[in-house]
Amino acid sequence: MHKSNSYNLKCAYHQVPMHEEDKQKTAIITPFGLFQFNFMTFGLRNAAKTMQRLMDNALQGLDFCFVYIDDLLIASSSLEEHLDHLKQVFDRLRKFGLVLNRDKCVFAVENLSFLGHKIDKYGITPLPEKVEAISNFPRPKTVQDLRRFLGMLNFFRRFLPHAALKQLPLQKMLGKCKKRDKTPLNWTDESDQAFQNCINDLKEATHLAHPDSNAVIILMTDASDRAIGGCIQQREGDSWKPLGFFSRKLSTAEQKYSAYDRELLAIFASIKYFRYLLEGTKFTILTDHKPITYAFSQKIEKLSPRQINHLNFIAQFTVDIKHISGKDNVVADALSRIESISTSPLAYEDIARSQQDDEELDLLLKQPTSLSLQKLQVPNTDVMLYCDISTQVIRPYIPKKHRYQVFRNLHDLAHPGVRATVRLICSRFVWPKMKQDIVNFTRSCIACQKSKIFRHVHSPLAEFKVPNQRFVHINIDLIGPLPSSQGFSYCLTAIDRFSRWPEAMPLTDIRAETVAQALYSGWISRFGVPQRISTDRGVQFTSDVFHSLAKTFGIRLSHTSAYHPQANGAIERWHRTLKAAIMCHTSVHWVSALPAVLLGLRTVFKEDL
């Protein structure tokens, strides 16, 4: 679009005559008598629809002309074509008896303001004065003020990626508010940061391209635990340009969906939102959830009714769903937002000049590496930068001269630690051996050394208190299933912590009642009641039956930490010795060999005792 015009009809509604039978419905009483409107008046509920329908009929077939009620926009690629377009529009308006307001018309300009947006040949962006007005909006004090702010912000919602997720802390503050609710707001650090992020996102709003009917279209979708979103993009040359963003938060019920269902819902909702752009167009859906790519090849019997409905709707538009690989996942708005990668403005002209003389960059371009370096244009400038596109985010290459400046821009925000700073910078920029450079920069930060306290506290290894007499504290456990021998398949094992006296009692099963009975007859009746028993968290030892046994005899039960057998190490280590000794008796069943094995283990010399 090189030349464009903007028109506005003069008293647009008053150019539409009223039907004779409907004039009486517009009657008004005045001090001078009863009057009726001969032409359509403002304020009628169907006035806007009637006017839009009239303009659509008047200008149908002129695809270079866009109409919104009484506002007309004409786009042309050259001045000669523009004059021809003007003649066609004027002829149609004259045919329908419509008159333009000359004072509100703008002719043959390369950019103009239209319906709150700035339009030029590159695309569409929010009007700077609108952005400035919202940016200067004071922090809302009441619920009504916050609703007013969100309403203004969401007028430009399609320019804002992940708007639903970023506005979630602010939406939570609204709660179940009433109309004109003046309840004071309770601001927190999270909500205050979300307020500032929303304003910053609007200031850095993505430049949306004009749709091209011949361009390749992709729809990228994603879902999180609390929100879903999508981005529609078209290919222009070697890059992808965004056409619009969509996002919304998930309801309470939708947040309980599985990851598969949330990703499917994101595709369904994105297609529904961009239907006016996608209908009748061949496009591809890109998602980072690989199971979705097999959605149309699985059996319908495995699908829930909701999944069938979603897939049925999606299939009306496309069945081409692909997974985003690392090198292909180049998000369009990342390129259009290179200027916002750092918190402090970087002189990209200086970086571009430094890249021309950078020996490390020349070496990277000549030899094969994991990076994918391409020369890309910084939006709205003539600067060309070498950037890495091998990850999800486009990362400019930073020459040696500017690396410390990049570090200071990001690290000085909150002075995070080494790992956090490495992750912060590596996700936005790239240069050789950058991790080591960032580590050295962080460790040499004077502010961090002055302010941070470096302490390395390690908990000392705990020791079990050794009993002062035998049979006071025992460890018990279960082993099995073992090869069936004389009807027995399991063993209840026990060992005294003071004397290391071991016992192994064969069991037919490991029900709680069987284990409790074996402990009572095999240990308590022979050696007396222990004061304390250590066990793991097996269901037999945590059962009501076992707790009743302990309560009856006044025994204190100690359970180990889950998935931590070291805490019951005395008996666990003895199991290995016991099993090895049993396996050595190959000529008889293990129940028959058990008394001999226990005799040998009890009489073996123990150095620590």
Side-chain angles (χ1 to χ4, degrees), residues 404 407-408 410-422 438-455:
Y404 189 71
F407 166 79
R408 291 255 69 101
L410 293 174
H411 178 75
D412 287 0
L413 287 175
H415 291 274
V418 173
R419 285 181 295 179
T421 306
V422 169
I438 297 170
V439 170
N440 295 334
F441 291 155
T442 306
R443 289 176 176 172
S444 62
C445 178
I446 302 299
C448 290
Q449 296 179 32
K450 288 182 178 180
S451 306
K452 295 184 179 180
I453 300 174
F454 297 94
R455 293 183 302 176

Side-chain angles (χ1 to χ4, degrees), residues 122 206-210 212 214-220 231-245 282-286 322 324 327-337 374 376-377 379 389 394:
Y122 299 107
T206 307
H207 201 115
L208 300 183
H210 297 297
D212 183 358
N214 298 321
V216 178
I217 301 293
I218 62 171
L219 176 64
M220 299 180 65
C231 173
I232 185 172
Q233 306 172 46
Q234 69 180 15
R235 191 173 185 84
E236 294 184 8
D238 295 332
S239 61
W240 293 94
K241 300 293 184 180
L243 299 179
F245 297 96
K282 184 179 180 180
F283 65 97
T284 301
I285 299 172
L286 298 183
K322 295 182 179 179
I324 305 176
K327 65 178 183 178
D328 295 330
N329 189 15
V330 182
V331 182
D333 78 296
L335 178 60
S336 63
R337 293 160 65 92
Q374 290 188 11
L376 303 176
Q377 182 179 0
I389 61 172
I394 294 179

Side-chain angles (χ1 to χ4, degrees), residues 458-502:
H458 298 281
S459 299
L461 291 176
E463 295 182 356
F464 289 103
K465 185 178 179 180
V466 180
N468 54 8
Q469 56 182 331
R470 62 182 181 178
F471 305 145
V472 172
H473 185 183
I474 65 172
N475 293 61
I476 65 173
D477 200 3
L478 294 170
I479 58 173
L482 304 171
S484 180
S485 175
Q486 302 178 18
F488 298 101
S489 300
Y490 301 89
C491 261
L492 172 65
T493 57
I495 192 168
D496 175 46
R497 294 197 64 84
F498 180 80
S499 63
R500 309 288 179 82
W501 180 269

Side-chain angles (χ1 to χ4, degrees), residues 132-253:
E132 183 179 2
I134 298 177
S135 301
N136 295 331
F137 193 87
R139 194 177 76 170
K141 296 181 180 179
T142 64
V143 171
Q144 184 179 4
D145 295 339
L146 181 56
R147 292 177 67 181
R148 185 182 294 116
F149 169 77
L150 291 175
M152 293 188 299
L153 182 68
N154 285 327
F155 180 78
F156 299 110
R157 189 182 183 95
R158 65 179 177 140
F159 296 90
L160 308 176
H162 310 295
L165 190 61
K166 294 181 180 180
Q167 294 178 20
L168 200 58
L170 300 180
Q171 294 287 354
K172 288 181 178 179
M173 297 175 66
L174 296 178
K176 297 181 179 179
C177 59
K178 301 178 182 178
K179 192 174 183 180
R180 298 186 180 88
D181 193 340
K182 295 186 179 181
T183 305
L185 295 173
N186 183 22
W187 287 88
T188 62
D189 292 341
E190 181 187 14
S191 56
D192 189 60
Q193 185 63 42
F195 177 75
Q196 295 299 328
N197 290 341
C198 290
I199 292 179
N200 293 336
D201 285 349
L202 183 60
K203 290 180 180 179
E204 302 164 359
T206 307
H207 201 115
L208 300 183
H210 297 297
D212 183 358
S213 58
N214 298 321
V216 178
I217 301 293
I218 62 171
L219 176 64
M220 299 180 65
T221 63
D222 193 16
S224 67
D225 294 338
R226 299 184 295 175
I228 57 175
C231 173
I232 185 172
Q233 306 172 46
Q234 69 180 15
R235 191 173 185 84
E236 294 184 8
D238 295 332
S239 61
W240 293 94
K241 300 293 184 180
L243 299 179
F245 297 96
F246 157 74
S247 64
R248 73 169 177 86
K249 67 177 183 179
L250 297 173
S251 66
T252 304

Side-chain angles (χ1 to χ4, degrees), residues 242-451:
L243 299 179
F245 297 96
F246 157 74
S247 64
R248 73 169 177 86
K249 67 177 183 179
L250 297 173
S251 66
T252 304
E254 290 170 342
Q255 290 179 18
K256 299 177 182 178
Y257 287 1
S258 65
Y260 181 92
D261 285 343
R262 290 198 303 269
E263 295 287 349
L264 185 62
L265 177 63
I267 298 175
F268 169 79
S270 298
I271 292 179
K272 197 172 182 180
Y273 182 82
F274 292 117
R275 182 170 186 165
Y276 67 99
L277 285 173
L278 298 175
E279 201 158 25
T281 304
K282 184 179 180 180
F283 65 97
T284 301
I285 299 172
L286 298 183
T287 175
D288 59 359
H289 193 69
K290 196 165 186 178
I292 291 286
T293 59
Y294 307 105
F296 290 103
S297 60
Q298 58 184 324
K299 295 181 180 180
I300 195 172
E301 294 83 4
K302 297 182 179 180
L303 301 175
S304 67
R306 182 179 64 248
Q307 292 172 345
I308 294 174
N309 291 336
H310 287 176
L311 291 174
N312 183 40
F313 179 81
I314 296 170
Q316 298 177 29
F317 298 86
T318 185
V319 294
D320 188 9
I321 303 178
K322 295 182 179 179
H323 181 254
I324 305 176
S325 62
K327 65 178 183 178
D328 295 330
N329 189 15
V330 182
V331 182
D333 78 296
L335 178 60
S336 63
R337 293 160 65 92
I338 287 182
E339 296 117 329
S340 66
I341 289 177
S342 66
T343 57
S344 178
L346 286 176
Y348 286 104
E349 295 82 359
D350 296 341
I351 294 178
R353 285 193 292 268
S354 299
Q355 284 184 353
Q356 297 176 2
D357 304 327
D358 192 277
E359 297 180 357
E360 292 178 325
L361 177 59
D362 293 338
L363 190 61
L364 289 174
L365 293 174
K366 292 178 182 178
Q367 65 184 18
T369 64
S370 60
L371 301 179
S372 179
L373 294 171
Q374 290 188 11
K375 210 166 190 178
L376 303 176
Q377 182 179 0
V378 179
N380 303 323
T381 68
D382 296 329
V383 179
M384 301 293 291
L385 283 181
Y386 277 103
C387 301
D388 172 45
I389 61 172
S390 62
T391 62
Q392 297 181 3
V393 179
I394 294 179
R395 302 183 296 170
Y397 174 87
I398 305 299
K400 191 172 184 178
K401 179 181 177 182
H402 302 278
R403 291 170 187 172
Y404 189 71
Q405 177 192 357
V406 170
F407 166 79
R408 291 255 69 101
N409 287 344
L410 293 174
H411 178 75
D412 287 0
L413 287 175
H415 291 274
V418 173
R419 285 181 295 179
T421 306
V422 169
R423 186 177 301 174
L424 189 67
I425 300 177
C426 288
S427 64
R428 291 164 171 79
F429 300 98
V430 66
W431 68 78
K433 300 180 181 178
M434 62 183 306
K435 291 185 179 180
Q436 185 59 47
D437 289 345
I438 297 170
V439 170
N440 295 334
F441 291 155
T442 306
R443 289 176 176 172
S444 62
C445 178
I446 302 299
C448 290
Q449 296 179 32
K450 288 182 178 180
S451 306

Side-chain angles (χ1 to χ4, degrees), residues 3-15:
K3 297 295 180 182
S4 59
N5 284 350
S6 178
Y7 301 105
N8 189 277
L9 296 182
K10 188 172 184 179
C11 299
Y13 287 5
H14 292 167
Q15 298 188 38

